[in-house]
Amino acid sequence: MKPKFKGKHFITLQEWENSQIDTLLDVSKTLKEKFLNNEITNYLENKTAFLMFFEQSTRTRNSMEAGIAQLGGHGNFLDTSTMQISHGEKAKDTAIILSSYGHAIACRNCFWGIGNQFLRDMAQHATVPVMNLQCDLYHPMQALADLMTIQEVKKTTKNLKVSIIWAYATSHKKPISVPLSQSLLFPRYAMDVTLAHPKGYELPKWVIKQAKDNALKNGGSFRVTNNQEEAYKDADVVIPKNWGSWVSNQSKDVLDDTLESNRHWKCTQKLMALANDTVAYMHALPADRGNEVEDMVIDGQHSIVYQEAENRLHTAKAVMAMTIGNK
Ligand code: CP
């Protein structure tokens, strides 16, 4: 029988039922209240989570590391360039060994075509829960915090018009995992989701199909457009963020002609004026200020980016508290 919570892998929210996600959100809310009230929450006393990072991180690393400490356990940060993985040690061997030393393995591996498979390989052999801290396809920790934030700010998600919008950036060629996870999750909460991007930045076809299926089953809707004005118009929530053209172009180069021809895909005050008066501006962060978004927007009255980032702590703690169990 598949585990309901304890020992359950957290690789994509597609493998978690709505009722289980609701429980994670309830626990996140409780943990947030307890954190703000300085209450002790040592539910994971003497437990160790290994936190493996192939890439840089501010929010994910620190929400996990601070989170497990606040739950009474220990987060062991592992820069994978200093592990034997960098000499070719396999996911299977790493997962079996770390399982025997602790109580959870969490990992960020965003390499295109590699990251999700690496997590799946670890999950196949681990005897403790494996948590996805972002891979080439999914970022479930981010999507869960985003859902919590939308529920806090908007109170109801039913028929909320939420637009996930591509934006121009030059900082690095970012994974598709944030818009992909949001596209799959939000229609399950009956949101009316618009995915907007220029040609060349498509998400995989199977994602669009799953997102539409999720909408159909749960009373939401999902549509794709190449027109950003259309996405901003009357929106209740806008999430303009860059992602790379990985689906059509696997080059790791950041700058190319397609990117440069879409500089105008920037979240501006003018575009925000097309949305509802109470529109919320969200971004997983880090933002490429000046390229993805004007400072006046991200620092303005509609921005909820710091609340969104703060909720990464509470949702990460909920995932750990619910999945880490006795060995
Ligand atoms: N949003 C997010 O995952 O941030 P980090 O890359 O800083 O972890």
Side-chain angles (χ1 to χ4, degrees):
M1 203 174 80
K2 288 184 183 159
K4 190 159 193 296
F5 287 105
K6 296 294 178 202
K8 185 170 171 62
H9 301 308
F10 187 77
I11 294 180
T12 165
L13 287 164
Q14 277 291 104
E15 293 164 358
W16 285 62
E17 292 167 11
N18 277 26
S19 61
Q20 293 174 311
I21 295 171
D22 289 343
T23 301
L24 289 178
L25 291 165
D26 286 345
V27 174
S28 304
K29 192 175 161 211
T30 302
L31 286 169
K32 183 170 184 172
E33 283 163 11
K34 287 182 184 288
F35 179 72
L36 297 176
N37 289 330
N38 281 314
E39 287 180 43
I40 306 261
T41 53
N42 53 354
Y43 310 124
L44 296 179
E45 209 164 20
N46 299 323
K47 299 282 193 280
T48 300
F50 296 101
L51 312 176
M52 297 168 55
F53 281 84
F54 285 81
E55 285 98 6
Q56 299 86 343
S57 169
T58 296
R59 281 141 290 270
T60 308
R61 175 184 172 176
N62 290 293
S63 59
M64 292 292 290
E65 208 166 328
I68 191 152
Q70 291 162 20
L71 294 169
H74 171 66
N76 197 26
F77 173 73
L78 296 163
D79 173 345
T80 55
S81 70
T82 66
M83 293 177 73
Q84 294 295 6
I85 289 167
S86 63
H87 289 155
E89 185 161 28
K90 298 293 178 221
K92 171 184 173 178
D93 295 340
T94 306
I96 292 171
I97 304 302
L98 293 182
S99 292
S100 72
Y101 293 167
H103 305 86
I105 304 171
C107 178
R108 168 171 285 189
N109 184 338
C110 298
F111 292 111
W112 181 254
I114 293 173
N116 188 258
Q117 192 56 54
F118 186 87
L119 281 153
R120 296 284 181 197
D121 289 347
M122 284 209 297
Q124 191 185 338
H125 298 286
T127 55
V128 296
V130 169
M131 295 167 202
N132 184 356
L133 301 184
Q134 189 175 23
C135 67
D136 50 335
L137 299 180
Y138 304 110
H139 197 353
M141 293 284 186
Q142 183 66 51
L144 186 64
D146 291 345
L147 179 57
M148 178 180 181
T149 311
I150 291 172
Q151 286 182 340
E152 281 178 341
V153 172
K154 297 292 180 183
K155 309 302 176 207
T156 176
T157 55
K158 189 161 170 48
N159 297 127
L160 205 63
K161 184 175 175 189
V162 178
S163 295
I164 301 162
I165 307 168
W166 184 90
Y168 172 81
T170 57
S171 46
H172 69 287
K173 188 166 174 177
K174 299 171 205 293
I176 62 172
S177 48
V178 172
L180 191 160
S181 301
Q182 294 165 339
S183 293
L184 294 181
L185 181 64
F186 295 166
R188 292 171 64 185
Y189 281 78
M191 299 184 209
D192 292 326
V193 178
T194 300
L195 175 71
H197 59 76
K199 289 198 167 76
Y201 293 91
E202 288 75 18
L203 296 187
K205 286 195 176 71
W206 60 264
V207 175
I208 306 304
K209 181 177 178 327
Q210 281 186 14
K212 286 184 175 168
D213 287 350
N214 288 350
L216 204 62
K217 278 184 209 141
N218 295 284
S221 64
F222 184 83
R223 68 186 180 120
V224 183
T225 176
N226 298 131
N227 182 325
Q228 64 172 333
E229 281 81 6
E230 202 181 300
Y232 280 93
K233 191 161 173 11
D234 301 328
D236 299 306
V237 177
V238 292
I239 316 177
K241 186 199 174 304
N242 178 257
W243 63 87
S245 54
W246 292 107
V247 173
S248 55
N249 171 12
Q250 288 79 46
S251 162
K252 289 182 184 140
D253 292 346
V254 178
L255 301 181
D256 60 28
D257 291 346
T258 313
L259 181 74
E260 287 310 312
S261 65
N262 289 298
R263 276 175 172 270
H264 58 291
W265 281 70
K266 179 198 286 195
C267 181
T268 60
Q269 284 185 296
K270 194 171 164 198
L271 282 168
M272 288 292 283
L274 298 175
N276 267 347
D277 290 346
T278 57
V279 64
Y281 165 87
M282 298 180 72
H283 192 298
L285 303 179
D288 190 342
R289 283 171 176 258
N291 283 325
E292 286 181 294
V293 58
E294 288 176 349
D295 283 343
M296 295 288 274
V297 175
I298 193 168
D299 296 326
Q301 59 171 342
H302 296 288
S303 177
I304 56 170
V305 295
Y306 298 125
Q307 183 174 343
E308 181 183 2
E310 181 197 333
N311 283 337
R312 291 293 309 276
L313 173 70
H314 311 300
T315 47
K317 284 164 73 173
V319 172
M320 289 190 281
M322 292 304 293
T323 60
I324 296 176
N326 294 326
K327 286 176 68 72

